[in-house]
Amino acid sequence: MKRLSIIFVLIGLLLTTSCGLQKEGLVLMTDRSYKASVFATNKMGFGSPDGLIWHKGRLYIADEGGSALEVWSKADGLKTLMDSSFGISSPEKLVVDSEGNAFFTDDDVGGLWEVDAGGNRRLLAGRDKGLIYTKGIALAPDGSILVGDGEQHEVFRVTRDGEVSAFLGKEYGITRPEGLVYDDKGNLYIADEEDNVLYMLDPNRTLHRLIDRRDSFSPEALWYVNGLLYIADEHFGKVYVYTPNDGLKPIATFAGTFKQLQGITVDDQGDLYVAVQTDLKHKVGHIIKLSKENTEVAAR
């Protein structure tokens, strides 16, 4: 039997229950080549994070609890790119293209939103174009943006000028496309967080049901890099890595107040960052770093 390396990544009071008991967040490492640490808490300035993207030394945060899109860098700290004054409410998942244009979804007000590299903000396509309850998002190879809609049970294609068309309709049977990402072969991975299924749409538009473990698997967020698909599982508090040859392998299990996983991304060194919604109602959240080396970088 493999030994588990148990690491308490946050010590002290996080939440106080009605019984007056203290709850702690903890991470149990299945893959012992990783080390867990708290990268950031609310002291950084965010509320309760959902989607995360590491892009060119900057960490972009879809701050669902704070109703904002934010970006953090070591040099500048946390900066707000868009907040509720522009009409957003509950930022979900996000992508950043090679030019630094950021796009994100919003499951309260719907739509696809953009903050371009120059800081200009706009609603690229809204409810009037059928984007009602927007969830997962991916940059397509042709430069368009794919958007999953949990109410329409579809994936839509949105062009850079805001034109919306169907990409995967209801006939494909996907209920809630919570996470979307392409690999380097043109396969689109889709995390259906409601039906607890990981799908793959190949370049021939054949949909494959890769992983279906309804009682133990509920994929929320996806990140693909260097032949590896990383998965954050919301309901069961787990981080996995998937390859076609090796299948699904657990990296870590999150428990206690760290169980609600929302976003996952990987930096240039191969370290993972996981968004934890510790208490969305009270705007409490954490970003946990799973590092390949025994180094810790704290964001204050």
Side-chain angles (χ1 to χ4, degrees):
M1 179 182 294
K2 288 185 177 180
R3 291 179 57 197
L4 294 179
S5 176
I6 303 177
I7 302 169
F8 289 84
V9 296
L10 185 62
I11 299 174
L13 179 64
L14 286 179
L15 294 175
T16 303
T17 69
S18 58
C19 300
L21 298 177
Q22 294 183 355
K23 287 187 176 182
E24 293 178 345
L26 57 95
V27 180
L28 294 83
M29 303 306 303
T30 306
D31 185 340
R32 296 184 67 190
S33 66
Y34 287 92
K35 303 294 182 182
S37 62
V38 177
F39 179 77
T41 69
N42 294 114
K43 291 180 180 179
M44 179 193 274
F46 58 74
S48 195
D50 196 300
L52 297 177
I53 291 287
W54 186 273
H55 179 77
K56 296 183 179 180
R58 308 172 84 194
L59 183 64
Y60 291 79
I61 303 169
D63 186 355
E64 186 174 12
S67 299
L69 178 70
E70 299 151 346
V71 62
W72 174 89
S73 68
K74 188 174 182 179
D76 299 326
L78 190 72
K79 303 293 184 183
T80 298
L81 300 177
M82 185 186 290
D83 60 22
S84 59
S85 66
F86 292 89
I88 65 174
S89 176
S90 181
E92 272 284 312
K93 301 296 185 285
L94 71 159
V95 292
V96 181
D97 68 14
S98 60
E99 297 177 351
N101 304 305
F103 303 87
F104 65 97
T105 56
D106 190 312
D107 65 357
D108 272 356
V109 299
L112 174 63
W113 302 77
E114 178 186 7
V115 179
D116 70 19
N120 300 301
R121 308 164 180 90
R122 64 169 174 160
L123 173 62
L124 184 57
R127 283 176 170 258
D128 60 326
K129 294 187 177 181
L131 302 181
I132 307 299
Y133 181 53
T134 50
K135 308 295 281 183
I137 185 172
L139 289 172
D142 65 359
S144 63
I145 302 105
L146 301 185
V147 176
D149 192 298
E151 183 170 311
Q152 308 288 358
H153 314 300
E154 296 185 55
V155 177
F156 295 94
R157 184 194 299 277
V158 185
T159 65
R160 296 300 177 102
D161 58 4
E163 294 301 316
V164 178
S165 59
F167 181 76
L168 291 177
K170 294 181 176 68
E171 68 272 13
Y172 281 84
I174 299 169
T175 302
R176 183 181 292 179
E178 191 78 32
L180 305 173
V181 71
Y182 275 95
D183 68 11
D184 53 6
K185 296 180 176 62
N187 299 303
L188 175 65
Y189 292 92
I190 304 166
D192 188 334
E193 183 259 349
E194 185 165 321
D195 287 345
N196 299 338
V197 178
L198 177 67
Y199 293 97
M200 184 189 77
L201 183 75
D202 67 28
N204 296 319
R205 293 188 63 84
T206 300
L207 189 65
H208 304 267
R209 203 177 182 98
L210 291 184
I211 303 171
D212 184 353
R213 302 178 183 174
R214 294 178 181 272
D215 59 346
S216 61
F217 179 68
S218 183
E220 164 79 18
L222 307 174
W223 182 266
Y224 181 87
V225 64
N226 297 330
L228 303 173
L229 178 67
Y230 294 95
I231 303 168
D233 180 316
E234 177 188 9
H235 293 168
F236 299 95
K238 294 185 178 182
V239 171
Y240 296 97
V241 61
Y242 170 84
T243 64
N245 291 333
D246 297 329
L248 194 66
K249 289 189 173 182
I251 294 175
T253 298
F254 289 61
T257 54
F258 284 173
K259 190 176 179 180
Q260 294 292 325
L261 308 186
Q262 295 295 318
I264 189 166
T265 190
V266 180
D267 68 14
D268 300 330
Q269 287 71 49
D271 297 332
L272 279 67
Y273 299 80
V274 182
V276 178
Q277 288 191 343
T278 313
D279 186 345
L280 178 59
K281 181 179 179 180
H282 294 95
K283 301 180 181 181
V284 180
H286 296 79
I287 299 174
I288 305 302
K289 182 177 181 180
L290 303 180
S291 177
K292 272 289 190 181
E293 298 179 350
N294 191 21
T295 58
E296 298 183 3
V297 181
R300 303 297 180 185

